[in-house]
């Protein structure tokens, strides 16, 4: 999620309009769960995936159309045998995709990406929220957990991390942003060097500690929150 937010912020800050494709609902068997995201520019896919195959191809075509029109789209894909004539994939389920046009330099989405990054890096808890209107440019905002639950009753005591819901007469999609957990690696040797990149990919916050200065080298663990030379006791 952090890499997605960094990519989104960079594109918007550079003034490039971008299409954000998101799996907002899934039933049965499908390539990716709700919350999978992909960024598409005028040259094609820039970051991420919504499942590959023809679903992703159709998502890229939709994204190109939103970039031309300056509006957004919401589309359902049937991945069952009876829907074969529509998409050509038989995974046994259905996928709903939202494709939002986010203008370059747009203050709202840019502020949302910045706030979400700060929250993640500080170990906070909040929701990235999109209004799924199809007649206008996309809307993206970030709300800390308490503020989100005050505004949207559907997010109160919500067990799921991805929620498609109705509010204010419109469809919305919310994705919870929270660190997976914290891991302390005692020892900065060869095992820690193999484990650290895996923890980073799984979005764990991790710290590395070693009582030998030559093994407590921050440059060896670029994804770590902290690398300390410290007594284990």
């Amino acid at each position: 999620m952090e890499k997605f937010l960094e990519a989104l912020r960079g594109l918007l800050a550079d003034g490039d309009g971008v299409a954000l494709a998101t799996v907002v609902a899934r039933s049965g068997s499908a390539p990716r769960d709700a919350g999978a995201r992909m960024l598409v520019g005028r040259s094609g896919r820039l970051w991420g995936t919504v499942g590959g195959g023809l679903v992703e191809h159709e998502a890229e075509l939709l994204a190109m159309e939103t970039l031309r029109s300056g509006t957004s789209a919401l589309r359902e894909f049937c991945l069952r045998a009876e829907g074969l004539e529509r998409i050509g994939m038989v995974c046994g389920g259905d996928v709903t995709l939202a494709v939002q046009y986010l203008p370059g330099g747009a203050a709202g989405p840019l502020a949302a990406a910045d706030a979400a990054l700060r929250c993640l890096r500080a170990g906070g808890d909040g929701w990235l929220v999109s209004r799924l209107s199809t007649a206008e440019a996309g809307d993206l905002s970030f709300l800390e957990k308490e503020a989100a639950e005050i505004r949207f009753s559907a997010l109160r005591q919500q067990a799921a991390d991805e929620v498609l819901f109705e509010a204010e007469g419109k469809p919305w999609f919310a994705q919870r942003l929270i660190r997976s957990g914290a891991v302390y690696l005692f020892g900065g040797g060869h095992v820690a060097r193999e484990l650290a990149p895996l923890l980073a990919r799984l979005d764990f916050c991790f710290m590395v500690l070693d009582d030998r200065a030559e093994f407590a080298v921050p440059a060896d663990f670029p994804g770590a929150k902290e690398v300390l030379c410290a007594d284990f006791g």
Side-chain angles (χ1 to χ4, degrees):
M1 178 54 70
E2 193 168 328
K3 288 182 173 59
F4 156 69
L5 292 168
E6 288 173 345
L8 176 61
R9 183 179 64 177
L11 289 166
L12 293 175
D14 288 342
D16 295 332
V18 65
L20 169 59
T22 306
V23 177
V24 297
R26 187 199 80 161
S27 64
S29 176
R32 296 294 303 272
D33 289 328
R37 297 186 186 264
M38 178 173 72
L39 294 170
V40 180
R42 299 185 191 281
S43 62
R45 186 174 72 89
L46 302 172
W47 185 93
T49 177
V50 291
L54 286 175
V55 169
E56 191 150 299
H57 176 68
E58 290 291 327
E60 284 195 47
L61 293 179
L62 273 175
M64 292 297 187
E65 179 56 34
T66 65
L67 288 167
R68 285 191 292 269
S69 67
T71 61
S72 300
L74 192 62
R75 185 73 57 85
E76 293 184 8
F77 295 97
C78 179
L79 308 183
R80 292 166 288 157
E82 58 267 33
L84 185 58
E85 73 281 0
R86 287 204 292 137
I87 191 64
M89 294 174 69
V90 187
C91 299
D94 300 290
V95 166
T96 302
L97 276 180
V99 182
Q100 298 175 277
Y101 169 64
L102 302 176
L110 191 53
D114 279 333
L117 274 170
R118 286 195 300 271
C119 178
L120 270 180
R121 289 167 177 169
D125 188 353
W127 293 87
L128 195 62
V129 182
S130 301
R131 185 183 67 243
L132 305 181
S133 172
T134 59
E136 55 191 342
D139 173 82
L140 191 68
S141 58
F142 177 77
L143 297 171
E144 292 190 2
K145 183 175 182 292
E146 184 176 347
E149 292 176 357
I150 289 172
R151 181 173 178 186
F152 300 112
S153 60
L155 301 182
R156 295 171 192 163
Q157 298 180 331
Q158 179 61 247
D161 289 336
E162 291 83 23
V163 187
L164 182 63
F165 62 98
E166 292 278 338
E168 303 168 2
K170 298 180 178 68
W172 298 73
F173 177 73
Q175 185 172 25
R176 192 174 182 187
L177 304 186
I178 187 170
R179 282 284 189 180
S180 300
V183 176
Y184 295 85
L185 297 178
F186 287 87
H190 64 281
V191 174
R193 293 176 191 222
E194 294 294 332
L195 183 56
L198 177 61
L199 292 170
R201 287 197 297 273
L202 293 176
D203 206 26
F204 279 88
C205 174
F206 68 95
M207 284 68 71
V208 181
L209 304 95
D210 204 300
D211 55 2
R212 301 161 294 180
E214 63 270 26
F215 286 91
V217 181
D220 292 340
F221 300 95
K225 181 180 180 181
E226 197 168 12
V227 179
L228 293 176
C229 182
D231 180 84
F232 288 160

